[in-house]
Amino acid sequence: MTSLKGLALLAAVIGAACVPVLLPDQPYVVNTLTLTLCTVIPAIGLNLLYGQAGLLSLGHMAFTGIGGYTAALLMKGAGWALPEAMLAAAIVAGFAGFLVGIPCLRLRSHFFVIVTLGVGMIVYTFFNNLDGITGGAQGLPGVPRPRPLTIGDFTIEFRTPRGFYWLALLTTLGTLLVQWLIARSPFGFSLSAIRQDETMAASRGVDVFAHKLAAFVIASAIAGVGGALSVTFLRVAAPTMFDLHASMNIVAIVLVGGPGYLAGPILGGFIFIALPEFLRVAAEFRLIIFGFVLVFIALFANRGLIGLADSLLSKMKRDRVADEQPGASPHAVKSEG
Amino acid sequence: MAPILEVSAIAKRFGGVVALDGAGFSVDKPGIVALIGPNGAGKTTLFDIICGRQNADSGEVRFMGERVDGLPPFRLSRLGFARSFQECRVLPEATCLENMLFSAQDKTLRSEMAGIFRGRAHNRNTVDKARELLAMVGLERFSNRPASDLSFGQKRLVEIASTLMGAPKVLLLDEPASGVNPTLLNILHDFLLDQAPKMGLLLVVIEHNMEFIMSVAERIVVLHQGRVLEDGPPAAIQASPQVIEAYLS
């Protein structure tokens, strides 16, 4: 990473952290941002799966739900604290991903996509009907707030919108860190090779199934963390939070934001969760607009909005190089040291 | 010592069509071996069986004495097999240099997980080797360009050069000359003749371009109707009446 990018990232993080301080009498804005981050986290998991390994899951919120219900049960029933419950949510959701992944990942391309749709529906049906465990359609209300955190004289209350926002921001940064680590690692390169050409990757020694399974488990675990955060924020785990509509929402977030880009799910989350809340567009119109936006993205920006910006920027850069060196082709390549 | 590659009595049928009917050959020392034959002779099927893409109905493939038939492609790769594809497969989004480095990477999940915090830091020698090979095929100036920017022939050169980064013992090339213009084909020709002995490599090449194959291969195996019709040095093959008849019939 260049130092310029690092500085921009630092500025963005500090800016995001300052929002509640800058807007002290706007709890609605802060809560909307927290809600956005709660959805962005599972989208980060999906971005890892689709953007990196090329696996599109249409039922990814199933794993968010498994994590969410796990955390809700542990915090409500067994009195666990949030960090432990969140870790447990990640482990249980990751394990569920492992069990689902073993049969499903044997399928290629669109067959896999269709099966994930089924997984999402089946898991949702369980949430909705296992009254004894999940509370059925009513869900599990009354999930406790996280306990206050005291560092020296300073106490952060998660009861307040501001405190919870910081918690959500920190969790989001944690999952982004995981995605960044994977993206720059040899493991991420192998996943990217699978996305680009599975047959070629296998012929060069990539165990395609094992790699896909590992990616699926990590993406499910990240989704589980998002679920734990959501149920703690909304103080309820309910089936409709994790239904097909919610799954499609994070698919749209990833596709519009820019699959494979770190900031993709964040931009997508703003567009699909925060912006409609702020603009107060009627729910029905929202779906119509989403439809148009998705068609536009599919036609003109198949690497999402960030991908669109990225290619425009690199085109500008190439043109500038061409202007500076008359006679040189715009495709001339920098000489190597 | 066991032969490097021993393919014996491979049979394969697709429904009523007999693709291979006891084909086999054995190679004891590194070098360039060509697999030729008229259309429908079973070349591609035999090639796919050696590469682990298809399973034979009967027969064996042995590598250094060990049976390798039925192993999936990624296991064969880890044993020291590499291959190119007729349709040419590179990573389109990765740069040419990254394509080279990808081949050199240890791709077992275990080592990848152990190195998850290290990033893709490549050892200096590996990068030098990659640049050297790219320079040999005349593509060093494309090092940092995505492979999708290349022409088909250039992609083929990157594909074949990158397979060598994994230091394979057996390299299988599926019609390397097809779709490659004469200039690039000359580069490929010289590259193969230069690298194969240097790396102690066994090259098995399927090819239709006779001029190319006769000037590259030391030994030619001719397949016809699923069996080996003739096996010998290029001059003997070109003089064989059986081979001429098979091609003309």
Side-chain angles (χ1 to χ4, degrees):
Chain A
M1 197 190 311
T2 56
S3 55
L4 196 66
K5 261 188 182 171
L7 275 178
L9 183 72
L10 194 68
V13 171
I14 293 173
C18 287
V19 169
V21 183
L22 296 174
L23 303 168
D25 47 358
Q26 298 266 19
Y28 172 71
V29 173
V30 175
N31 274 339
T32 304
L33 290 179
T34 308
L35 193 67
T36 307
L37 292 178
C38 286
T39 316
V40 162
I41 293 172
I44 289 172
L46 185 68
N47 190 29
L48 178 71
L49 199 59
Y50 177 67
Q52 195 80 33
L55 294 165
L56 185 58
S57 166
L58 297 183
H60 205 60
M61 284 303 269
F63 302 101
T64 313
I66 290 171
Y69 276 100
T70 305
L73 285 169
L74 288 172
M75 292 173 76
K76 216 182 132 181
W80 285 37
L82 180 66
E84 289 91 330
M86 205 178 249
L87 186 66
I91 293 170
V92 173
F95 185 66
F98 179 73
L99 293 181
V100 169
I102 286 175
C104 296
L105 290 167
R106 303 260 170 218
L107 302 167
R108 272 197 181 198
S109 64
H110 46 287
F111 296 101
F112 171 78
V113 177
I114 295 296
V115 168
T116 58
L117 193 67
V119 169
M121 292 165 87
I122 291 167
V123 174
Y124 167 75
T125 311
F126 276 126
F127 290 154
N128 208 13
N129 292 289
L130 287 176
D131 293 14
I133 305 169
T134 65
Q138 274 195 321
L140 297 169
V143 177
R145 283 272 189 236
R147 292 162 201 152
L149 180 72
T150 309
I151 308 162
D153 295 339
F154 194 64
T155 303
I156 300 174
E157 270 287 353
F158 297 111
R159 212 174 289 282
T160 62
R162 167 199 294 208
F164 205 96
Y165 171 75
W166 281 330
L167 176 70
L169 191 64
L170 195 68
T171 315
T172 309
L173 288 176
T175 50
L176 275 177
L177 181 69
V178 172
Q179 201 202 336
W180 179 72
L181 277 175
I182 290 175
R184 66 192 277 276
S185 72
F187 172 62
F189 198 13
S190 290
L191 292 182
S192 153
I194 291 173
R195 174 172 56 78
Q196 294 177 53
D197 191 334
E198 199 172 313
T199 310
M200 187 272 197
S203 81
R204 297 291 165 89
V206 177
D207 184 348
V208 171
F209 178 72
H211 276 76
K212 281 183 175 175
L213 189 59
F216 200 71
V217 167
I218 296 168
S220 303
I222 291 176
V225 168
L229 194 70
S230 296
V231 299
T232 327
F233 177 61
L234 299 172
R235 308 198 61 193
V236 63
T240 48
M241 290 162 67
F242 313 112
D243 63 3
L244 219 52
H245 183 81
S247 287
M248 291 305 167
N249 226 359
I250 61 167
V251 170
I253 286 172
V254 169
L255 290 182
V256 171
Y261 292 95
L262 268 183
I266 298 172
L267 179 67
F270 263 97
I271 294 173
F272 281 88
I273 315 278
L275 214 56
E277 283 288 338
F278 293 141
L279 296 180
R280 288 256 166 218
V281 185
E284 297 79 16
F285 279 120
R286 191 155 73 176
L287 286 176
I288 295 173
I289 294 168
F290 282 3
F292 276 113
V293 168
L294 275 181
V295 170
F296 171 80
I297 293 289
L299 284 178
F300 301 109
N302 52 14
R303 296 294 288 166
L305 290 178
I306 296 186
L308 193 66
D310 196 16
S311 53
L312 285 178
L313 273 177
S314 53
K315 188 176 167 351
M316 269 162 59
K317 209 187 264 176
R318 275 210 304 263
D319 290 348
R320 207 166 52 219
V321 171
D323 289 344
E324 281 164 9
Q325 308 170 313
S329 106
H331 299 292
V333 174
K334 302 185 286 285
S335 62
E336 247 31 77
Chain B
M1 209 179 87
I4 302 177
L5 185 67
E6 189 179 13
V7 180
S8 44
I10 301 284
K12 174 83 180 176
R13 49 171 66 237
F14 298 101
V17 180
V18 179
L20 289 171
D21 184 17
F25 63 95
S26 169
V27 192
D28 295 332
K29 57 178 201 321
I32 303 181
V33 177
L35 204 56
I36 67 168
N39 283 329
K43 301 184 298 289
T44 300
T45 310
L46 185 59
F47 193 86
D48 279 353
I49 287 168
I50 301 173
C51 292
R53 219 179 186 185
Q54 292 185 43
N55 289 324
D57 295 340
S58 65
E60 292 182 354
V61 181
R62 286 177 184 271
F63 169 63
M64 309 283 212
E66 298 284 327
R67 269 194 82 160
V68 295
D69 49 292
L71 288 182
F74 79 89
R75 293 229 175 273
L76 286 172
S77 161
R78 291 174 188 181
L79 282 175
F81 278 68
R83 69 166 295 185
S84 76
F85 291 86
Q86 195 176 337
E87 65 273 26
C88 188
R89 291 179 184 263
V90 289
L91 301 176
E93 293 167 24
T95 66
C96 293
L97 187 63
E98 284 171 337
N99 263 286
M100 304 292 288
L101 296 174
F102 179 63
S103 278
Q105 178 182 316
D106 178 352
K107 288 172 281 281
T108 55
L109 200 53
R110 183 192 295 257
S111 72
E112 282 180 357
M113 284 301 168
I116 200 90
F117 294 109
R118 273 207 308 270
R120 255 184 263 161
H122 289 284
N123 136 357
R124 191 71 231 163
N125 292 339
T126 316
V127 178
D128 287 347
K129 171 89 182 155
R131 290 194 186 283
E132 188 193 327
L133 287 173
L134 278 176
M136 291 181 77
V137 294
L139 294 176
E140 71 273 46
R141 68 207 159 87
F142 292 96
S143 296
N144 293 339
R145 292 270 296 281
S148 58
D149 285 5
L150 302 180
S151 73
F152 184 83
Q154 290 171 326
K155 276 184 199 154
R156 165 123 303 148
L157 290 174
V158 168
E159 183 189 34
I160 293 175
S162 70
T163 56
L164 297 181
M165 289 297 292
K169 299 186 181 74
V170 178
L171 174 57
L172 301 131
L173 302 179
D174 192 355
E175 298 198 20
S178 72
V180 178
N181 73 46
T183 314
L184 293 180
L185 196 55
N186 279 335
I187 296 178
L188 181 62
H189 176 269
D190 297 346
F191 181 70
L192 292 178
L193 283 180
D194 177 59
Q195 287 294 309
K198 223 188 259 177
M199 300 189 67
L201 192 65
L202 167 61
L203 262 172
V204 180
V205 188
I206 292 194
E207 191 46 74
H208 279 298
N209 184 330
M210 286 302 151
E211 197 189 334
F212 176 75
I213 204 65
M214 292 296 168
S215 66
V216 165
E218 297 151 13
R219 177 181 156 193
I220 293 183
V221 177
V222 185
L223 279 179
H224 184 50
Q225 295 178 341
R227 292 170 199 244
V228 173
L229 182 71
E230 198 78 71
D231 183 346
I237 296 298
Q238 278 168 311
S240 159
Q242 279 175 296
V243 172
I244 293 167
E245 193 187 336
Y247 265 92
L248 291 178
S249 63

